[in-house]
Amino acid sequence: MDKLLVVIPAYNEEASIASTVENLLKCEPNINYIVVNDGSTDNTLKTCEENNINVLDLPVNIGLAGAVQAGCLFALKHGYTTMLQYDGDGQHRPEFIAPMFKEIESGHDIVIGSRFVSEKKSWSPRMIGSRLISLSILLFARKRIKDPTSGMRMITGTALRDFAINMNRGPEPDTISFKIREGYTVKEIQVRMNERLAGTSYLTLLRSVKYIMTQTISIAVIQPFRKKNKKRGKG
Amino acid sequence: MLQLTSTDNTEPLPILENLFRALEPGLPVIFGLMGAFALFYTIRKIHKSQMNIEDSITWIAYNIMFLVLLGLLIFPWGRNFLQRLGDAFGLNSPVVLIIALVAIFSYLKLLSTSVKLSKTNEKLKRTIQEFASFKHDAKERDNEVRKQLEDDDK
């Protein structure tokens, strides 16, 4: 896994970032990682420096999409061919990195750590939203993605390059749907996730509704007009 | 309020409404063309990847709503519906209602864009300052290393 870089976007994660990295290294001692401090206003940067954590410090807050893109760009510039987006709040579990990488090695472009491959999805309001996004992807990209909102995604080759340099490639379901339409292969594998170690989720009820609507409209209405660059080969 | 007399001299009308009524046959056509062009332009920008998806969703929704409202003017039932809706807000013409909606949306969008632009400018300024400071420190470190090497050579 020496060509894999784990990108951990962090915004105000002072309470959880050190333990997240510690758990990661305990499970995968030789893994390469970078924490992208997205202009945090708390002591995230200080905590990283005190714990000798590799950190890419963004001078201002540019949002999750920009932070992940910074990580993708860093990966490309330093010769990595694969990137894993990994939450800084302790929700993602490192034991699933190796199985995900195995799927990348077997030829998939994007691998999603999914909570619902063999597990059942509940009918909570948030999961109804997730089903709506899944349905949009099924209808417009002709692929069943059971956990489109999972933030644990591994990306490789030309897909990684595309994420790193192009506009509108946020780490969101609509980008996954768009990559499927462009001919990239996406595979989901079953993972388990923890509760957040600290802090509160960015997604409040109002933001969740806005997020689900935006994603659904983006997949169903906007995507047919977006210019597709069909996948040519792994690079 | 300044009043003008309507064409049949039976009821007085406010000057603005009189003006809009005089322009009414042409205004929906001009607005329709403008809406269609804006929709086409937005789609073109999406195709060329020159527009943020969230912004494009707002503009597509706005333009479609605008064109649907204008389209309603063609049908007597639609015109009647807009007329009644306008009456509820004290506007006596469906075209005035559409113009009011366009003005409100444009005003709010302009305001939010202005706030967004201010924030972006601030972030850009901070980034440039940080970059300049970083460059200065890197140059200083370079000079120190060079001086050290020169001293070692001596």
Side-chain angles (χ1 to χ4, degrees), chain A residues 49-235:
Chain A
E49 285 169 348
E50 282 171 0
N51 290 281
N52 287 323
I53 291 171
N54 292 330
V55 62
L56 183 65
D57 183 40
L58 306 184
V60 292
N61 174 255
I62 58 171
L64 178 69
V68 172
Q69 197 172 40
C72 291
L73 205 59
F74 182 89
L76 276 188
K77 284 194 168 178
H78 291 80
Y80 296 98
T81 56
T82 306
M83 183 282 290
L84 170 70
Q85 185 192 334
Y86 191 87
D87 278 5
D89 58 12
Q91 287 195 79
H92 296 162
R93 295 169 65 142
E95 66 262 37
F96 297 105
I97 295 176
M100 286 176 79
F101 192 70
K102 208 170 266 177
E103 294 296 339
I104 289 284
E105 284 181 314
S106 71
H108 294 289
D109 300 297
I110 298 169
V111 178
I112 301 172
S114 167
R115 291 161 289 179
F116 309 116
V117 174
S118 52
E119 302 286 319
K120 276 221 154 186
K121 205 183 270 189
S122 73
W123 285 94
S124 66
R126 196 171 283 184
M127 287 305 126
I128 292 172
S130 167
R131 283 170 200 270
L132 193 65
I133 296 172
S134 287
L135 181 68
S136 310
I137 297 176
L138 180 65
L139 290 175
F140 294 96
R142 307 277 166 89
K143 168 102 183 158
R144 188 177 291 278
I145 301 291
K146 291 185 172 176
D147 193 3
T149 56
S150 164
M152 195 176 186
R153 301 186 185 96
M154 200 176 272
I155 301 153
T156 195
T158 47
L160 173 60
R161 189 168 192 80
D162 180 58
F163 270 67
I165 59 176
N166 286 324
M167 192 185 179
N168 288 328
R169 299 296 192 277
E172 304 297 353
D174 62 339
T175 308
I176 299 295
S177 166
F178 188 58
K179 298 320 289 173
I180 297 169
R181 290 173 74 128
E182 285 186 324
Y184 290 85
T185 56
V186 177
K187 168 91 178 172
E188 280 184 285
I189 70 157
Q190 179 67 45
V191 299
R192 283 194 309 280
M193 288 188 191
N194 301 324
E195 291 296 313
R196 293 178 66 90
L197 287 176
T200 48
S201 172
Y202 173 79
L203 288 176
T204 58
L205 181 68
L206 197 69
R207 278 178 178 159
S208 297
V209 172
K210 191 187 166 203
Y211 172 81
I212 290 159
M213 277 179 63
T214 308
Q215 288 299 312
T216 310
I217 294 171
S218 171
I219 293 165
V221 182
I222 306 289
Q223 249 164 49
F225 299 113
R226 288 175 71 179
K227 191 178 179 182
K228 289 190 275 291
N229 295 312
K230 287 280 178 190
K231 184 194 169 192
R232 289 196 190 96
K234 272 187 133 182

Side-chain angles (χ1 to χ4, degrees), chain B residues 5-146:
Chain B
T5 314
S6 65
T7 44
D8 57 7
N9 287 328
T10 51
E11 57 182 86
L13 284 172
I15 188 166
L16 269 181
E17 287 199 20
N18 238 0
L19 184 66
F20 283 131
R21 284 215 171 159
L23 292 170
E24 200 161 309
L27 266 187
V29 176
I30 294 168
F31 273 23
L33 287 174
M34 193 185 85
F37 171 76
L39 190 62
F40 170 76
Y41 185 76
T42 310
I43 289 170
R44 215 177 132 75
K45 287 288 157 193
I46 295 167
H47 185 71
K48 287 182 160 184
S49 288
Q50 289 174 343
M51 196 173 188
N52 179 291
I53 284 177
E54 270 193 41
D55 289 339
S56 63
I57 288 175
T58 313
W59 281 107
I60 285 184
Y62 172 52
N63 285 314
I64 289 176
M65 186 194 80
F66 187 36
L67 289 173
V68 167
L69 283 175
L70 287 170
L72 283 178
L73 288 176
I74 299 169
F75 307 101
W77 60 267
R79 206 179 170 82
N80 198 26
F81 167 73
L82 290 176
Q83 180 79 54
R84 273 188 290 149
L85 198 66
D87 285 345
F89 293 99
L91 304 165
N92 291 329
S93 150
V95 176
V96 175
L97 173 73
I98 294 174
I99 290 168
L101 287 173
V102 170
I104 290 168
F105 178 87
S106 306
Y107 181 79
L108 292 176
K109 189 70 192 153
L110 196 64
L111 194 65
S112 71
T113 305
S114 185
V115 171
K116 221 174 182 178
L117 189 65
S118 298
K119 282 185 184 169
T120 309
N121 277 342
E122 196 53 37
K123 284 181 180 180
L124 181 66
K125 200 175 76 187
R126 175 81 59 80
T127 310
I128 292 168
Q129 288 161 348
E130 288 273 352
F131 182 68
S133 164
F134 175 79
K135 239 171 94 176
H136 174 266
D137 292 350
K139 207 173 178 182
E140 232 169 37
R141 272 197 301 273
D142 258 15
N143 287 342
E144 271 173 31
V145 170
R146 199 171 295 139

